[in-house]
Amino acid sequence: MIFDVDFATILFQMAPSPEGFKRKIVFLDSVDSTSLYAASLRDADEGTVVLADEQKSGRGRLGRSWVSEKGKNLTFSLILKPGSPAEYSGLISLLAGLAVAETLETVAGLVPECKWPNDVLLKGKKVCGILTEATITGGRLSRAILGVGLNVNQARFPGAIQPPPTSLLNESGRSFDLTAVLTAVLTTVERRYSDFRDRKYETIIREWKKRSTTIGKTLNVRTGESEIQGFARGIAPDGALLLEVDGSERKIFAADITVV
Ligand code: BTN
């Protein structure tokens, strides 16, 4: 098991959500992917969290995999049911990255950076990846499975991955209580999600931009087979990246980016 306590104790230790979320935690010792499992819970309440000690086939963005050492890190998926207009769906990843960055500032005293659309970096290395899987019904975002992989106590990361991975342990020199970090992350995600539900889209974008490594930089942007270079002008109200290419502005909704 991931924690030194049993499941009931995890629930007991987890402070109630200040935003009124139910915080029902489904804890699994091992699963293929917490996001796949969460998607299978058809009638789950908003705020349900699927948390796993180990993922056998953790999923990353753009068909990649997410590998995390058993028992060392946080891998969980939060079920959200916003019902907001579908065009704002891209903001869910942004608010989650912002919330994780804010949490790492407070719990670890670190200086995280947000890389569009949804990575959190520490000194240029990736400490957290976020995968949002949206269900659109009748023009509304009826459900979003927010998958978060946060490297906490893992020391070694084999393989050549870009950007190179890191953990809170590696960047701060100390290990962290996973329950405490999970509680802090959930509290901050719930707070930023409340901003989203209150349509404070500009607040989310403004706070995200303060921590951005992306805006104001020249980027290589890879979408599928094609790669373009452009200057990152800003973030659109829907969370898309505004890229200036040869004097005209393009909206990028999903891509892999690297700073030139
Ligand atoms: C990325 O950076 O490519 C996104 C990685 C997202 C990983 C998390 S771990 C918990 C949840 N379950 C998954 O299978 N993926 C996400």
Side-chain angles (χ1 to χ4, degrees), residues 57-67:
S57 313
R59 288 139 55 99
R61 284 181 64 237
L62 308 172
R64 287 186 288 247
S65 56
W66 183 261
V67 180

Side-chain angles (χ1 to χ4, degrees), residues 31-36 50 52 55 57-68 74-78 118-120 126 128-133 145-150:
V31 69
D32 49 1
S33 154
T34 55
S35 290
L36 275 181
V50 179
Q55 293 188 117
S57 313
R59 288 139 55 99
R61 284 181 64 237
L62 308 172
R64 287 186 288 247
S65 56
W66 183 261
V67 180
S68 175
L74 288 174
T75 49
F76 67 91
S77 299
L78 170 65
N118 50 7
D119 289 348
V120 182
K126 181 162 166 174
C128 177
I130 291 158
L131 176 69
T132 304
E133 291 167 289
I145 308 283
L146 180 62
V148 178
L150 175 59

Side-chain angles (χ1 to χ4, degrees), residues 24-235:
K24 182 179 167 199
I25 312 284
V26 179
F27 175 66
L28 304 164
D29 182 59
S30 183
V31 69
D32 49 1
S33 154
T34 55
S35 290
L36 275 181
Y37 191 95
S40 74
L41 301 176
R42 287 275 150 216
D43 299 320
D45 290 322
E46 176 164 79
T48 299
V49 175
V50 179
L51 169 72
D53 196 355
E54 174 186 54
Q55 293 188 117
K56 295 280 191 195
S57 313
R59 288 139 55 99
R61 284 181 64 237
L62 308 172
R64 287 186 288 247
S65 56
W66 183 261
V67 180
S68 175
E69 200 177 316
K70 182 169 185 175
K72 300 279 183 178
N73 303 315
L74 288 174
T75 49
F76 67 91
S77 299
L78 170 65
I79 298 176
L80 300 173
K81 298 188 170 176
S84 48
E87 62 260 38
Y88 295 107
S89 306
L91 285 178
I92 297 283
S93 288
L94 239 59
L95 77 83
L98 166 63
V100 170
E102 290 176 316
T103 307
L104 302 191
E105 286 165 13
T106 48
V107 303
L110 296 165
V111 186
E113 293 174 316
C114 295
K115 181 183 167 206
W116 187 88
N118 50 7
D119 289 348
V120 182
L121 308 181
L122 290 170
K123 295 188 193 141
K125 296 181 176 178
K126 181 162 166 174
V127 69
C128 177
I130 291 158
L131 176 69
T132 304
E133 291 167 289
T135 306
I136 309 289
T137 315
R140 303 246 148 205
L141 178 57
S142 50
R143 188 185 70 174
I145 308 283
L146 180 62
V148 178
L150 175 59
N151 297 330
V152 181
N153 293 325
Q154 184 169 335
R156 279 172 294 281
F157 296 89
I161 306 165
Q162 283 304 324
T166 193
S167 63
L168 298 189
L169 170 71
N170 287 1
E171 299 307 317
S172 69
R174 67 185 175 100
S175 56
F176 289 79
D177 178 272
L178 290 175
T179 313
V181 178
L182 176 65
T183 308
V185 170
L186 286 178
T187 300
T188 323
V189 169
E190 290 162 0
R191 191 178 308 134
R192 286 300 178 193
Y193 178 61
S194 292
D195 286 344
F196 179 82
R197 280 202 302 210
D198 294 343
R199 301 179 189 202
K200 294 183 185 162
Y201 305 138
E202 284 170 18
T203 307
I204 293 165
I205 293 171
R206 187 186 64 235
E207 292 303 315
W208 184 91
K209 276 165 79 177
K210 281 187 193 166
R211 295 161 178 85
S212 158
T213 53
T214 309
I215 307 307
K217 306 262 174 67
T218 300
L219 306 175
N220 274 331
V221 177
R222 192 148 37 85
T223 47
E225 295 301 295
S226 68
E227 184 161 323
I228 50 172
Q229 202 171 89
F231 185 77
R233 282 264 165 241
I235 299 292

